[in-house]
Amino acid sequence: MAAAAAGARINCFFLNPINPLNSKTTTRLTTHLHFRLSRKTPPTFCTRASATTPDETSAAANDPFVLTTPLYYVNAPPHMGSAYTTIAADAIARFQRLLGKRVIFITGTDEHGEKIAAAAAANDSTPAQHCDLISQSYVTLWKDLDIGYDKFIRTTDPKHEAIVKEFYSRVRDNGDIYRADYQGLYCINCEEYKDEKELLENNCCPTHLKPCVARKEDNFFFALSKYQKPLEETLAKNPNFVQPSYRLNEVQSWIKSGLRDFSISRALVDWGIPVPNDSKQTIYVWFDALLGYISALSEDMEQPSLERAVSSGWPASLHLIGKDILRFHAVYWPAMLMSAGLGLPKMVFGHGFLTKDGMKMGKSLGNTIEPNDLVQKFGSDAVRYFFVREVEFGGDGDYSEDRFINIVNAHLANSIGNLLNRTLGLLKKNCQSTLVIDSSIAAEGTTFKDTVEKLVEKARVDYENLSLSSACEAVLEISNAGNSYMDGRAPWSLFKQGGAASEAAAKDLVIILEAMRVIAIALSPVTPSLSWRIYRQLGYSKDQFYAATWSDTRWGGLKGGQVMAQPQPIFARIESQTEEENRVEAPKKVKKNKLPQSQQVVEA
Ligand SMILES: Nc1ncnc2c1ncn2[C@@H]1O[C@H](COP(=O)(O)OP(=O)(O)OP(=O)(O)O)[C@@H](O)[C@H]1O
């Protein structure tokens, strides 16, 4: 969704029309909130009509895990910021699938509005052609980044349009939409009316530095003010609704400062969904786009209907968004849902920004990093791992290529890749690449197994709590512990001693390889291709890799007699620019560890 628009569109919510509804009694919403707390899951909540019965509890256990990214605005192709949310969402989806949950991972594109029509005209194309082209660039990038979404919704999809109209009519029938005049200064780039106080000289928009134009239109307004109290109550009862917890205060203070009704139609924008019963107006792009989370659930073959879509998985378990669009998701969206009598999402997580030179990277500012370039240069695993590991989920993070190369080399190439490679090398030389004993027996009496078990449990809890960076760190600690174990035991010299020492060394190799197996599964939400390459080296088939679940991180999967594949580097060390320049001076050496580029991206 358009953050261009986002920062900018926010103000249209502070219009102050003469509201015929304000005098009406506020609808009391009896929202009974049910907390689902278990040892394994972080507290989440959903709206329910009554106390939970055992039947409902088992129904809840079977509920799909529905998570969403924002629907990205097709004013421009994706950049690393859009990729960041989607990578994080994919890691969470993969983790939930490992737990055995039925996951519905929704992403897509937000395609309406005057700005899109203008972008199309600037490129001599129709809005529809423009949307097709840009939307496709998201689909292509998600493929290159190994994003395994389940639904890709485009807001120009006819099924979406049908559901938006039905939703609009429902809210109108509930008395929450009214008509009023509005006159003000309009920023086309933001697609919203501006408050004069915030404009720069010559009525320039502070975001786009272009003059706003005076406009007068009669619009339809949504009675957001009616929902101030219900929203306050919802947040007070369910502080986990907004995550990370420090963003809750922000949301609460927005609400406390007073919610004003907002305009949800545009008289002068053709490129949008027509307002039911008034084809001269189109529905405001945010009112339309948020509904993509529901219309995505509608099956292509069936007649689109709000009820049917809702019954396929609503309410969502998690909306993953950037903090720029928190207000839309944590204030306006819940109010719209309450008005339509639909359940609220269980959690809205607003992560931080990827910044460049301290500024939010974004399409409007044009200070973006090209994810395609990074993937071409470094492979999808490296890109996914770096951003998940380096940016603490929730906070901001700055990108630097040096840091990228250092982290990825140290963690994926050295700590994990080299450990696997040298262990398999020793196994090949001394044991014909065959495990001499079951890993469960090999580890008897060692503390290393306990260390691995503790760390993998920590990773699980971190994933559950959306502490994605900490989850990666816990997995990396397993490989660091493996390297220490290997160096401490020095199996290469034990093999030279022969006899019992040699037998002990063979066991040590089994222990390390079992730890690698655990690492492969535990890191697979973040680095699916790399994890598959590790699994392949351990002698498993692709089917076996796909069948693995989180319970397979339990120690003891590798059995005596299993034959490992020929040792091959699973992750090529990335050379920095300086290293490459130095090599130009020195005679060329063939790098032993070099993986062909094509192996960087293996379908997972
Ligand atoms: N710099 C960023 N860091 C992290 N996430 C980002 C960043 N930029 C965009 N996103 C993600 O994309 C969402 C906004 O999508 P949108 O399509 O509006 O992109 P945008 O680049 O912010 O647009 P614009 O620059 O035009 O405001 C954010 O809520 C977030 O999920």
Side-chain angles (χ1 to χ4, degrees), residues 396-559:
D396 293 347
D398 215 54
Y399 171 81
S400 111
E401 184 164 304
D402 282 350
R403 181 112 190 101
F404 183 101
I405 293 176
N406 289 342
I407 291 286
V408 162
N409 278 346
H411 298 187
L412 302 185
N414 296 348
S415 185
I416 296 178
N418 277 356
L419 179 61
L420 177 65
N421 203 244
R422 63 188 177 135
T423 311
L424 288 177
L426 281 171
L427 194 80
K428 183 179 178 196
K429 189 168 166 202
N430 298 287
C431 311
Q432 291 83 48
S433 293
T434 306
L435 303 186
V436 295
I437 193 170
D438 288 0
S439 54
S440 54
I441 302 171
E444 277 170 9
T446 71
T447 55
F448 179 68
K449 173 189 161 207
D450 300 338
T451 306
V452 173
E453 282 176 344
K454 274 191 202 125
L455 286 169
V456 83
E457 174 58 9
K458 181 177 180 309
R460 185 191 64 75
V461 172
D462 287 336
Y463 277 125
E464 292 265 20
N465 292 332
L466 308 184
S467 302
L468 303 179
S469 174
S470 303
C472 292
E473 197 175 310
V475 180
L476 186 76
E477 275 183 49
I478 299 178
S479 74
N480 290 342
N483 278 297
S484 302
Y485 183 86
M486 183 84 150
D487 294 344
R489 297 284 301 164
W492 49 90
S493 59
L494 293 176
F495 276 124
K496 282 188 195 141
Q497 291 170 34
S502 182
E503 278 173 30
K507 273 191 191 175
D508 288 334
L509 300 187
V510 174
I511 288 172
I512 300 288
L513 292 171
E514 174 66 5
M516 293 306 310
R517 192 189 64 78
V518 173
I519 289 171
I521 300 173
L523 204 56
S524 66
V526 182
T527 58
S529 299
L530 177 73
S531 291
W532 154 234
R533 292 199 292 274
I534 297 173
Y535 237 59
R536 188 172 55 184
Q537 290 274 283
L538 298 177
Y540 291 106
S541 68
K542 203 162 207 176
D543 286 347
Q544 286 170 310
F545 175 64
Y546 282 139
T549 65
W550 191 265
S551 61
D552 293 312
T553 58
R554 223 175 291 129
W555 189 274
L558 284 178
K559 305 289 181 212

Side-chain angles (χ1 to χ4, degrees), residues 7-224:
R9 284 180 198 158
I10 281 169
N11 283 311
C12 77
F13 292 100
F14 295 98
L15 300 179
N16 205 4
I18 303 154
N19 178 0
L21 291 177
N22 279 347
S23 57
K24 287 192 184 163
T25 320
T26 302
T27 312
R28 277 259 156 229
L29 292 167
T30 44
T31 313
H32 299 270
L33 296 147
H34 163 70
F35 285 84
R36 210 196 300 161
L37 286 167
S38 78
R39 196 173 58 80
K40 287 189 170 181
T41 46
T44 57
F45 73 88
C46 54
T47 54
R48 301 188 71 84
S50 61
T52 316
T53 64
D55 273 359
E56 283 176 318
T57 309
S58 65
N62 293 328
D63 281 350
F65 185 89
V66 178
L67 87 159
T68 67
T69 70
L71 306 187
Y72 301 104
Y73 206 46
V74 292
N75 56 333
H79 58 86
M80 201 50 235
S82 355
Y84 176 66
T85 317
T86 316
I87 290 169
D90 188 58
I92 296 165
R94 285 176 188 269
F95 170 71
Q96 291 292 334
R97 288 190 200 110
L98 279 178
L99 292 185
K101 291 261 180 66
R102 181 165 76 84
V103 172
I104 307 180
F105 169 16
I106 296 170
T107 189
T109 42
D110 171 7
E111 306 190 357
H112 286 131
E114 192 171 355
K115 194 155 103 172
I116 301 298
N123 291 321
D124 277 339
S125 63
T126 64
Q129 286 165 339
H130 172 86
C131 292
D132 286 350
L133 191 73
I134 304 288
S135 184
Q136 184 55 42
S137 66
Y138 283 84
V139 172
T140 306
L141 178 64
W142 299 159
K143 184 165 183 290
D144 292 345
L145 276 168
D146 283 331
I147 305 293
Y149 56 79
D150 300 289
K151 306 270 185 187
F152 189 98
I153 183 72
R154 297 181 56 185
T155 59
T156 47
D157 188 321
K159 76 178 180 188
H160 173 76
E161 178 164 337
I163 283 172
V164 170
K165 284 179 168 166
E166 192 184 339
F167 184 93
Y168 183 99
S169 304
R170 217 193 245 208
V171 171
R172 187 196 53 209
D173 295 348
N174 190 30
D176 286 342
I177 293 179
Y178 63 94
R179 198 166 192 150
D181 272 337
Y182 191 77
Q183 182 165 9
L185 291 164
Y186 195 78
C187 172
I188 298 165
N189 284 295
C190 296
E191 306 250 26
E192 68 167 356
Y193 283 101
K194 293 287 185 185
D195 197 337
E196 240 171 284
K197 280 193 293 228
E198 62 172 315
L199 297 179
L200 308 175
E201 238 177 82
N202 297 326
N203 290 334
C204 276
C205 161
T207 313
H208 298 98
L209 308 178
K210 296 205 175 111
C212 298
V213 289
R215 273 194 188 171
K216 181 176 180 213
E217 28 179 345
D218 76 319
N219 286 159
F220 291 96
F221 284 77
F222 173 67
L224 181 67

Side-chain angles (χ1 to χ4, degrees), residues 1-7 69-76 79-86 115 138 207-208 286 320-326 329 351-355 359-366 368:
M1 284 169 203
T69 70
L71 306 187
Y72 301 104
Y73 206 46
V74 292
N75 56 333
H79 58 86
M80 201 50 235
S82 355
Y84 176 66
T85 317
T86 316
K115 194 155 103 172
Y138 283 84
T207 313
H208 298 98
W286 266 106
L320 210 59
I321 54 165
K323 60 184 175 182
D324 50 338
I325 51 177
L326 186 60
H329 287 78
H351 64 68
F353 289 149
L354 298 188
T355 54
M359 297 286 289
K360 178 196 172 233
M361 189 188 296
K363 287 177 288 202
S364 294
L365 281 179
T368 54

